[in-house]
Amino acid sequence: MIAIAIAIAIAIAIAAVVVGVLAALGYAARRHWIDAVLALVAGVALAGTVGEFSLPGEAGATQMVDAADPPRTLAGVRTLRLAGDGLRAAEWGDLPARPLDWNKPDTPAIDLDFPRTIALGRVFTLRVHRSWSAPGRLQLLAENGQVLAEAKGDTGLAVQWLPPVAERLVLKARLLDAAGKVVDEGPVPFTVTDPAPLQVRGRFGAPSFDLRVLDDLLAASGAVIDWQVELGKGLERAETARAEMDKPELEIVDAAWFERAGAASRDALLARVAGGTRLLVLGANARDASTWARSVKLPLAPQPANKTIGTVLPMASAGLNPSGDRAGEWIGKDGLWTRDWKDGRIAWLGLGDWHRHAIAQPRQLALWWQDVLDHLGVQRRADVAWLDPEEMPLPQRRLAICARGVSGTVTVAELKQTLAWQRRPEHVDAACVAVWPAASGWLHLQTGTNDGQVYVYAPGDWPLWQRSERRAATAQYAARTPAPVAPGTRPLPVWPFGVVFALAMLSLWWRERR
């Protein structure tokens, strides 16, 4: 595209010169020598205006970037030079692209990964990724300083904690070295919400103790259940949903029901999955491998008797399972294989006898089932989805707040502002607003009947995490910078040619009017 633009500019410049020469020859034929000179000057000046010519010499200057006082404009700046960690993403986003002379520092930095919102009953996990390898400890502390969880290791560290109630929390975490010295620390804000009831439809061809335990686990989580189990020929046990269920988030069938179902029932089930529903198949009682190969392209092979799968909770393998972790479009691990099915997703659970863990290890069994549903991508649909901030929110620094499914305005109570949602090109399915937090703490957001929260950190929180974010933003800015201007050249100024062209044309007009 650049080459085409240059070619067009050169062609226009040549055309301008040709027109000027022809006009000069016309005036010269009538012996209007001054007019001929003016026409020739106007043609050359117009060519200089549109031709994008260059002269020997460097273009622009090199500017040193100060992180404490970022530049507001880069007019006349050819390249940037930077020492240190760089600027925040919002600050780089305000600047046009320029070649950047910067070497990434090798001083220690960390990245933090944790959910900003979790449902009650889910385990909260905080992960720290260090830029170095050495023995260390990660501690998660309550607001009163009590240690809730601790992990040790040489590289990545992770701690887990199960929140007891639904509330908004600001815990604290600290990273220690082998000698117990604090390397980095700061708050860990997140919100624990009451889980929305999951809508589940189950169809099963045979009863089992496993189904009874699964039913109890789902009921204990508050799920809305539509459950039918065939007990024999013409006899079934049904559990009717306590609320209307037009489009459940999860459908569960066992292999026996699917294999005996007619083609119309199978097609209807797979059509619902293609529309976005998640389907979990309990494969312990599978008998007909050809049915699965034809319907969902799942290759099954006989498994050895008494085979167990799983490390945390060993369970009996199904009689038919894929031969490896990869089976065509299916990808699996520890007895669970999944694949996308248009807008939905299907999972094959080739395990059984999980009811044996219901009494001895009930919590581990519940967490295991939650992990199965997470791999399947089962979640309650929400009208509004708040997006996590792209970088750590800080006082007096611009913060972009984005959400899906919003329109109209959003009110930020702490700032006493009501702002209109706006679209941004990098978030095609979301809308955003920009705010400048005045102080650290929670920002409460209200849009329509939906509310959200964003935590603003203090400037001294997590300095190594801030360092890592600045480096990542600086590297991203450097990656989008265009190639520098060719050495030894600089663009020829355009405005003098424009002035000469205007004066020449005015002079011709004046002489013609005489």
Side-chain angles (χ1 to χ4, degrees), residues 48-79:
T49 302
V50 301
E52 298 184 3
F53 298 105
S54 299
L55 290 177
E58 295 293 339
T62 299
Q63 179 171 334
M64 191 71 181
V65 178
D66 182 6
D69 185 20
R72 303 296 187 271
T73 179
L74 296 182
V77 176
R78 175 174 53 89
T79 60

Coordinates of all heavy atoms in Angstrom, one line a residue, residues 48-79:
G48 N 6.1 20.0 -6.2 CA 6.8 19.9 -4.9 C 5.8 19.7 -3.7 O 6.1 19.1 -2.7
T49 N 4.6 20.2 -3.9 CA 3.6 20.1 -2.8 C 3.1 18.7 -2.7 O 2.9 18.2 -1.5 CB 2.4 21.0 -3.1 OG1 2.9 22.4 -3.2 CG2 1.4 21.0 -1.9
V50 N 2.9 18.0 -3.8 CA 2.3 16.6 -3.7 C 3.3 15.5 -3.9 O 2.9 14.4 -3.8 CB 1.2 16.5 -4.8 CG1 0.1 17.6 -4.5 CG2 1.7 16.7 -6.2
G51 N 4.5 15.8 -4.3 CA 5.5 14.8 -4.7 C 6.2 14.1 -3.6 O 6.8 13.0 -3.8
E52 N 6.1 14.5 -2.3 CA 6.8 13.8 -1.1 C 8.2 13.5 -1.4 O 8.7 12.4 -1.3 CB 6.0 12.5 -0.8 CG 4.6 12.7 -0.4 CD 3.9 11.4 0.0 OE1 4.6 10.4 0.0 OE2 2.7 11.4 0.4
F53 N 9.0 14.6 -1.7 CA 10.4 14.5 -2.0 C 11.2 14.5 -0.7 O 10.7 15.0 0.3 CB 10.8 15.6 -3.0 CG 10.1 15.5 -4.3 CD1 9.1 16.4 -4.6 CD2 10.5 14.6 -5.2 CE1 8.5 16.4 -5.9 CE2 9.9 14.5 -6.5 CZ 8.9 15.4 -6.8
S54 N 12.4 14.0 -0.8 CA 13.3 14.0 0.3 C 14.6 14.7 0.0 O 15.0 14.8 -1.2 CB 13.6 12.5 0.8 OG 12.4 11.9 1.1
L55 N 15.3 15.1 1.1 CA 16.6 15.7 1.0 C 17.6 15.0 1.9 O 17.2 14.3 2.8 CB 16.6 17.2 1.4 CG 15.8 18.2 0.5 CD1 15.8 19.6 1.1 CD2 16.4 18.2 -0.9
P56 N 18.9 15.1 1.5 CA 19.9 14.4 2.4 C 19.8 15.0 3.8 O 19.5 16.2 4.0 CB 21.2 14.8 1.8 CG 20.9 15.0 0.3 CD 19.5 15.7 0.4
G57 N 20.1 14.2 4.9 CA 20.1 14.7 6.2 C 19.1 13.9 7.1 O 18.2 13.2 6.6
E58 N 19.3 13.9 8.4 CA 18.4 13.2 9.3 C 17.1 14.0 9.5 O 17.1 15.2 9.5 CB 19.1 13.0 10.7 CG 20.4 12.1 10.6 CD 20.0 10.7 10.3 OE1 18.9 10.3 10.5 OE2 20.9 10.0 9.8
A59 N 16.0 13.2 9.8 CA 14.7 13.8 10.0 C 14.3 13.7 11.5 O 14.2 12.6 12.0 CB 13.7 13.0 9.2
G60 N 14.1 14.8 12.1 CA 13.7 14.9 13.5 C 14.8 14.6 14.5 O 15.9 14.4 14.1
A61 N 14.4 14.6 15.7 CA 15.3 14.5 16.8 C 15.0 13.2 17.6 O 14.0 12.5 17.4 CB 15.2 15.7 17.8
T62 N 16.0 12.9 18.5 CA 15.8 11.7 19.4 C 15.4 12.3 20.8 O 16.1 13.1 21.3 CB 17.1 10.9 19.5 OG1 17.4 10.4 18.2 CG2 16.9 9.8 20.5
Q63 N 14.3 11.7 21.4 CA 13.9 12.2 22.6 C 14.0 11.1 23.7 O 13.6 10.0 23.5 CB 12.4 12.7 22.5 CG 11.8 13.2 23.9 CD 10.5 13.8 23.7 OE1 10.2 14.3 22.6 NE2 9.7 13.8 24.7
M64 N 14.5 11.5 24.9 CA 14.6 10.6 26.0 C 13.2 10.6 26.7 O 12.7 11.7 27.1 CB 15.7 11.1 26.9 CG 16.0 10.1 28.0 SD 16.9 8.6 27.3 CE 17.1 7.6 28.8
V65 N 12.7 9.4 27.0 CA 11.4 9.3 27.6 C 11.6 9.2 29.1 O 12.4 8.4 29.6 CB 10.7 8.0 27.1 CG1 9.3 7.9 27.8 CG2 10.4 8.2 25.6
D66 N 10.9 10.1 29.9 CA 10.9 10.1 31.3 C 9.6 9.4 31.8 O 8.5 10.0 31.6 CB 11.1 11.5 31.8 CG 11.2 11.5 33.4 OD1 11.2 10.5 34.0 OD2 11.2 12.7 33.9
A67 N 9.7 8.3 32.5 CA 8.5 7.6 33.0 C 7.7 8.5 34.0 O 6.5 8.4 34.1 CB 8.9 6.3 33.6
A68 N 8.4 9.4 34.7 CA 7.7 10.2 35.7 C 7.0 11.4 35.0 O 6.0 11.9 35.5 CB 8.7 10.8 36.7
D69 N 7.4 11.7 33.8 CA 6.7 12.8 33.0 C 6.7 12.4 31.5 O 7.5 12.8 30.7 CB 7.5 14.1 33.2 CG 6.8 15.3 32.5 OD1 5.6 15.2 32.3 OD2 7.5 16.3 32.2
P70 N 5.7 11.5 31.2 CA 5.6 11.0 29.8 C 5.4 12.2 28.8 O 4.7 13.2 29.2 CB 4.4 10.1 29.8 CG 4.2 9.7 31.3 CD 4.7 10.9 32.0
P71 N 5.9 12.1 27.6 CA 5.7 13.2 26.6 C 4.2 13.2 26.2 O 3.5 12.2 26.2 CB 6.6 12.8 25.5 CG 6.8 11.3 25.6 CD 6.7 11.0 27.1
R72 N 3.8 14.4 25.9 CA 2.4 14.7 25.5 C 2.3 14.6 24.0 O 1.2 14.3 23.5 CB 1.9 16.0 26.0 CG 1.9 16.2 27.5 CD 1.0 15.2 28.2 NE 1.0 15.5 29.7 CZ 1.8 15.0 30.6 NH1 2.8 14.2 30.2 NH2 1.7 15.3 31.9
T73 N 3.3 15.0 23.3 CA 3.3 14.9 21.8 C 4.7 14.5 21.3 O 5.7 14.7 22.1 CB 3.0 16.3 21.3 OG1 3.0 16.3 19.8 CG2 3.9 17.4 21.8
L74 N 4.8 14.0 20.1 CA 6.1 13.6 19.5 C 6.3 14.4 18.2 O 7.0 13.9 17.3 CB 6.1 12.1 19.3 CG 6.0 11.2 20.5 CD1 6.1 9.8 20.1 CD2 7.1 11.5 21.5
A75 N 5.8 15.6 18.2 CA 6.0 16.4 17.0 C 7.5 16.7 16.8 O 8.2 17.2 17.8 CB 5.2 17.7 17.1
G76 N 8.1 16.5 15.6 CA 9.5 16.7 15.4 C 10.4 15.7 16.0 O 11.6 15.8 15.9
V77 N 9.9 14.6 16.6 CA 10.7 13.5 17.2 C 10.8 12.4 16.2 O 9.8 11.9 15.7 CB 10.0 13.1 18.5 CG1 10.8 11.9 19.1 CG2 10.0 14.2 19.5
R78 N 12.0 12.0 15.9 CA 12.3 10.9 15.0 C 12.3 9.5 15.7 O 11.7 8.5 15.2 CB 13.6 11.1 14.2 CG 14.0 10.0 13.3 CD 15.3 10.4 12.5 NE 16.3 10.9 13.4 CZ 17.3 10.1 14.0 NH1 17.2 8.8 13.7 NH2 18.2 10.6 14.7
T79 N 13.0 9.4 16.8 CA 13.1 8.2 17.6 C 13.0 8.5 19.1 O 13.2 9.6 19.5 CB 14.5 7.5 17.3 OG1 15.5 8.4 17.7 CG2 14.6 7.1 15.9

